[in-house]
Amino acid sequence: TTLALGIGANTAVFTLVDGVLISPLPFEDSDRLVSLQHLGREGRDELPVSDGLFLLYKEQVGSVDGIALHVAAEVNLMAEAEPRRISTQYVTPGFFEVLGVHPSHGRTFLEEEGRPGAEPVVMLSRRDPDVLGRTLDVNGASRRVVGVMPEGFGHPDRNARLWLPYAIDPARAPLAAFGAGGIARLSAGSTIEALHTELSGLISRLPQRFPEDGAAAFLAEVNLRPLVLPLKEATVGDVSTTLWILLGTVGFVLLIACANVANLLLVRAESRQRELALRIAVGAGRLQVLRSFLAESAALAVLGGTLGAVIASLGVRASLGALPATLPRIAEIGVDLRVMAFTGIVAAGCAVFFGFFPLLRYGAGDLADQLREGAGGRTISHGPRRNGLRNGLVITQMALALVLLTGSGLMFRSFQALRAVDPGFEPEGVLVAGLSVPSAEIEAWEETAAFYRELRERLLAQPGVEAAGYSTGAPLTGGMSYHAVEVEDHPRGPDEMPIFARTDNVGPGYLEALGVRLLEGRTFQVGDGAEGVRAAVVSESLAEMWWPEGSPLGRRLRTGYEGEGWFEIVGVVADVHHLSLEDAPEETIYWPSTVGPAESPFPTRSRDVVIKTAGDPLSMVSVLRREVRALNPRIPVSNPRAMSAVVADATSRTSFTAALLGAASGIALLLGLVGIYGVVSYVVSQRTREIGVRIALGATASSVRGMVVRQGLSLAGVGVGLGLLAAVALSRVLGSILFGVSATDPLTYGVVAIVLVLVAATASWVPARRAAGVDPSQALRGE
């Protein structure tokens, strides 16, 4: 059982590591696939690919067989008169060919279908080939189905169910509007380094190639550089460190389990001394005796490995639903032949590991003499070598257990620190849901704005609704937008870098619905951005950056695009964590989102609607759907969630890691307890005669108990000391995934050390009580 737990835990975590990190992407020659991005501003910004650069790369780059763009989106799909919001990918023609994926039915997009004005077509993920040639109502327009992708395909978004052509007009493709992800397939014999060099050369020549394009000069000014990564590395992201740490953690659990089994086998071998002596006496050779030890080890390994594989399979199946939504390649995680081979190798390694210790003792010197001594009454267990071997295994267990408990404690404290982060808004009682009004449904911007205004008024009239509003991206939902900004009283010099800030278009009531604290001035009102004040609200950090000694109210700013008018700052609000809780809040500008292009710098037809309620926010989902349907029955409500759930999702990876480390540490603590108990108990049984003599000569029960407990505590003390050294040495590895706590936090180390000492004392107490109860006459008569 001990072995099965260790092997099962290792197999389960290896299944995650293999599915996410080790196994190749499910594409033809996936090692030739790369991700294309860019770096700017001294490497501070990671930028995707612009339409203009894509066309340039496609025409000029010779070290690739193909380049494609993809953009994640959601579209409205009318299905049986009930609208739905569907995850979608806009892709350039050639996207599927670059990946090496072929449709199960039909065809992929043609080159001409990636141009403005082409026939509207669509590809989808569905098993039924009869849909080919049919039309789908997508965003209010009819699109003909030309292809069906294989079931399960969804790169880079595993939730994508539709693919639409990404149309680019070569005459109007901007160089500096970065918005699409790029992928490429390296030519045979080409390398990432060669592609990087080729792209760098093209970017450096942009001002000469496009002398009249101000964007080319701008890109040279911001020091734009290519960022080429293997596609698998870009897909996996920063999760690799966490998974490798988890695999190393359960590896420690397996070592502890093997140490336990090795100790048990040593005890078993010692208890068989008379039997082995008899076998030697009647002619059995040393190899025959050693073979019996190996056979027992192999049998335990096979049984433990088999049970461990069952435990791993059940554990993986049960945990798939609990994995963080941000974990990539979840669909590729599963127990397969490669995982089973790993289990077999681990089981074989375990057999060698714990089978080695009896061989170490009985494989040296004159076996017959050793066993004869044991048979004659001088128990070899009393020898320092044998005690040292057993004690060394227990010390190893305790040291490894301390390392695991320390890691678990640090992750728990990190999770607590993350949960304690003030997101800058009040998530309780808030519902967030997505809406999009395609131009095919409501063409005019004024009517689109009127739709959102009327929806807000309807929501405010509902019982229990305290506030309602909308924006282009609610916090922690993944939306982000950055733009160049000009500040009127901080004009940019000719050689100065442009100011970039996070921007968000919000309507009246949005900041109030989220509970964002107003620090100065006011928030948006009905009419801001239209016939009233062209108002803007800024975050506290942006105000401190540009006006550290004065109030920003009345100051003016605008977007960096030519012809944009000035917006007057009317309020300052607290910083909000938009991207993640781990990162510091970014300087943010809130623009008014009331009408259209004339009043809003970056108009968009998609909004996140937020509703503040007095009760359960999910109870408002049906109300929101009803009111949207009353305004336009063809517009679906997308992904309604409580903001408290959104915040919980933002901590999901840390809580998942903490939970796995906690489970591994719990097993390690249990095994450490068993290990100490087993060794101390066995020593007590071997010292029965000595203890009986001590008691006969006047030793008290308390002194006998103290003697036994001290032996257990001495082992624990050495193990704790070595474990502390090992934990400090490994702290740098864990430090990369911690938040708000030092990898050498003294409180965590101290608490863990005390817990292990208390566990050791508890494990030693039971055999100590038994030793104190030895009857001297019975002990001496037995001898």
Side-chain angles (χ1 to χ4, degrees):
T1 304
T2 296
L3 197 58
L5 285 174
I7 293 178
N10 275 266
T11 301
V13 175
F14 176 79
T15 302
L16 298 180
V17 172
D18 180 62
V20 176
L21 302 180
I22 299 177
S23 63
L25 294 175
F27 308 126
E28 296 177 4
D29 299 325
S30 62
D31 57 321
R32 291 167 53 192
L33 294 173
V34 297
S35 165
L36 297 182
Q37 298 182 73
H38 297 88
L39 293 175
R41 288 204 301 173
E42 302 177 354
R44 176 182 173 187
D45 298 324
E46 285 193 11
L47 303 171
V49 184
S50 68
D51 293 357
L53 287 176
F54 165 70
L55 294 177
L56 178 64
Y57 295 163
K58 188 177 179 181
E59 175 187 348
Q60 297 290 324
V61 175
S63 55
V64 299
D65 287 341
I67 296 179
L69 298 183
H70 56 85
V71 176
E74 288 189 337
V75 297
N76 297 348
L77 177 68
M78 288 298 297
E80 299 177 357
E82 182 67 29
R84 288 190 297 162
R85 196 81 172 140
I86 302 295
S87 294
T88 305
Q89 286 282 329
Y90 284 88
V91 299
T92 55
F95 172 80
F96 302 103
E97 287 73 15
V98 169
L99 288 178
V101 178
H102 309 286
S104 58
H105 304 283
R107 63 171 175 82
T108 59
F109 299 131
L110 303 177
E111 191 67 29
E112 57 267 24
E113 289 168 344
R115 303 280 170 79
E119 177 194 3
V121 294
V122 63
M123 297 177 63
L124 68 156
S125 174
R126 186 173 176 179
R127 295 179 180 176
D128 183 8
D130 294 338
V131 298
L132 288 177
R134 296 184 183 180
T135 59
L136 295 181
D137 187 331
V138 181
N139 277 349
S142 294
R143 287 183 174 269
R144 182 168 62 92
V145 178
V146 297
V148 179
M149 292 307 297
E151 192 74 17
F153 172 76
H155 182 85
D157 180 8
R158 63 177 180 268
N159 297 315
R161 293 296 176 265
L162 293 180
W163 291 268
L164 303 175
Y166 183 76
I168 299 177
D169 184 355
R172 305 179 60 184
L175 285 174
F178 298 93
I183 60 171
R185 178 174 287 272
L186 296 173
S187 303
S190 185
T191 63
I192 289 180
E193 291 74 18
L195 176 58
H196 184 277
T197 300
E198 196 170 2
L199 295 178
S200 297
L202 286 174
I203 293 173
S204 66
R205 294 191 296 272
L206 284 177
Q208 293 77 33
R209 187 178 180 90
F210 306 99
E212 297 181 359
D213 192 331
F218 167 76
L219 294 180
E221 184 180 359
V222 299
N223 191 25
L224 188 76
R225 300 175 312 286
L227 176 62
V228 185
L229 298 173
L231 186 59
K232 187 170 78 169
E233 181 180 332
T235 301
V236 170
D238 60 353
V239 75
S240 57
T241 301
T242 300
L243 290 181
W244 285 121
I245 287 175
L246 289 175
L247 187 59
T249 296
V250 294
F252 279 12
V253 173
L254 184 61
L255 286 176
I256 294 174
C258 287
N260 243 332
V261 175
N263 247 332
L264 292 172
L265 289 179
L266 279 174
V267 171
R268 181 175 176 81
E270 291 171 14
S271 68
R272 296 170 59 192
Q273 290 177 48
R274 295 182 185 276
E275 170 207 333
L276 296 175
L278 181 59
R279 292 177 62 186
I280 292 290
V282 297
R286 176 183 296 176
L287 289 179
Q288 290 177 297
V289 174
L290 299 183
R291 196 180 300 125
S292 67
F293 289 135
L294 289 175
E296 186 168 346
S297 299
L300 285 173
V302 169
L303 291 172
T306 302
L307 184 56
V310 174
I311 292 173
S313 180
L314 296 175
V316 168
R317 191 178 307 170
S319 64
L320 282 178
L323 293 176
T326 55
L327 187 68
R329 306 183 69 186
I330 289 181
E332 300 172 45
I333 296 172
V335 178
D336 54 17
L337 290 178
R338 194 202 318 253
V339 174
M340 289 295 98
F342 171 82
T343 306
I345 293 172
V346 169
C350 290
V352 172
F353 179 88
F354 57 67
F356 167 79
F357 289 95
L359 297 181
L360 181 66
R361 174 56 182 151
Y362 293 114
D366 186 359
L367 182 63
D369 289 344
Q370 295 176 40
L371 296 177
R372 197 175 297 115
E373 288 177 4
R378 293 197 303 266
T379 324
I380 57 176
S381 65
H382 291 172
R385 180 179 178 184
R386 174 50 49 86
N387 286 336
L389 198 55
R390 280 198 311 265
N391 293 346
L393 288 170
V394 172
I395 289 171
T396 301
Q397 287 178 268
M398 297 302 291
L400 292 175
L402 185 133
V403 173
L404 293 187
L405 283 170
T406 301
S408 177
L410 291 172
M411 281 305 304
F412 179 73
R413 293 203 63 196
S414 183
F415 176 66
Q416 284 186 315
L418 197 59
R419 289 290 299 270
V421 170
D422 179 8
F425 59 91
E426 298 293 336
E428 297 303 322
V430 177
L431 177 76
V432 59
L435 291 178
S436 182
V437 181
S439 57
E441 297 294 343
I442 304 177
E443 184 174 0
W445 282 103
E446 291 77 6
E447 294 178 13
T448 302
F451 169 87
Y452 284 108
R453 282 199 303 268
E454 187 172 351
L455 175 62
R456 176 175 178 265
E457 292 169 2
R458 284 172 169 265
L459 293 173
L460 289 174
Q462 302 300 317
V465 174
E466 299 177 354
Y470 44 86
S471 79
T472 50
L476 304 177
T477 57
M480 58 181 180
S481 179
Y482 298 87
H483 295 95
V485 177
E486 292 185 10
V487 179
E488 186 178 36
D489 53 358
H490 291 86
R492 181 168 66 97
D495 298 326
E496 290 182 355
M497 298 286 289
I499 303 165
F500 279 86
R502 189 190 186 282
T503 62
D504 195 0
N505 287 21
V506 307
Y510 169 78
L511 296 171
E512 288 79 2
L514 276 180
V516 179
R517 296 186 303 278
L518 177 64
L519 304 179
E520 190 176 358
R522 66 172 179 85
T523 57
F524 292 109
Q525 300 172 353
V526 175
D528 281 343
E531 297 176 357
V533 178
R534 289 171 61 86
V537 174
V538 298
S539 66
E540 180 181 11
S541 57
L542 188 138
E544 291 178 351
M545 180 174 67
W546 292 109
W547 302 281
E549 298 178 357
S551 172
L553 298 185
R555 313 296 179 103
R556 300 200 304 173
L557 40 75
R558 66 182 179 184
T559 68
Y561 292 94
E562 225 175 286
E564 290 288 351
W566 293 100
F567 284 75
E568 179 183 336
I569 299 175
V570 298
V572 180
V573 295
D575 288 329
V576 173
H577 288 265
H578 283 95
L579 294 180
S580 71
L581 295 177
E582 292 96 332
D583 299 321
E586 296 183 292
E587 300 86 8
T588 303
I589 301 173
Y590 299 94
W591 308 109
S593 178
T594 52
V595 186
E599 290 79 23
S600 180
F602 306 103
T604 175
R605 294 179 172 273
S606 298
R607 299 285 190 276
D608 279 344
V609 176
V610 293
I611 306 170
K612 173 69 174 179
T613 68
D616 179 12
L618 294 180
S619 65
M620 295 302 300
V621 174
S622 59
V623 175
L624 176 60
R625 293 188 192 277
R626 184 189 68 213
E627 297 305 322
V628 170
R629 193 179 300 116
L631 291 173
N632 190 319
R634 294 173 56 84
I635 295 178
V637 175
S638 169
N639 197 20
R641 291 171 290 170
M643 279 303 295
S644 56
V646 173
V647 174
D649 287 344
T651 64
S652 60
R653 184 181 296 183
T654 301
S655 62
F656 171 72
T657 306
L660 284 187
L661 282 177
S665 300
I667 296 174
L669 192 62
L670 177 63
L671 295 180
L673 186 149
V674 171
I676 288 231
Y677 170 81
V679 165
V680 175
S681 181
Y682 182 73
V683 169
V684 167
S685 69
Q686 295 296 308
R687 298 176 64 184
T688 301
R689 180 174 179 274
E690 173 199 337
I691 293 172
V693 170
R694 287 175 178 270
I695 294 176
L697 294 177
T700 62
S702 60
S703 65
V704 172
R705 284 195 297 268
M707 176 187 69
V708 175
V709 170
R710 279 195 300 274
Q711 183 172 5
L713 289 179
S714 64
L715 297 178
V718 176
V720 165
L722 294 176
L724 288 173
L725 294 176
V728 172
L730 294 172
S731 61
R732 291 184 180 178
V733 177
L734 195 61
S736 61
I737 62 172
L738 294 178
F739 174 81
V741 61
S742 168
T744 55
D745 177 54
L747 177 61
T748 303
Y749 281 68
V751 170
V752 168
I754 292 172
V755 167
L756 270 182
V757 170
L758 292 176
V759 167
T762 303
S764 304
W765 180 254
V766 176
R769 285 189 59 190
R770 187 168 65 247
V774 167
D775 184 347
S777 61
Q778 293 293 330
L780 296 175
R781 186 179 300 114
E783 288 297 316

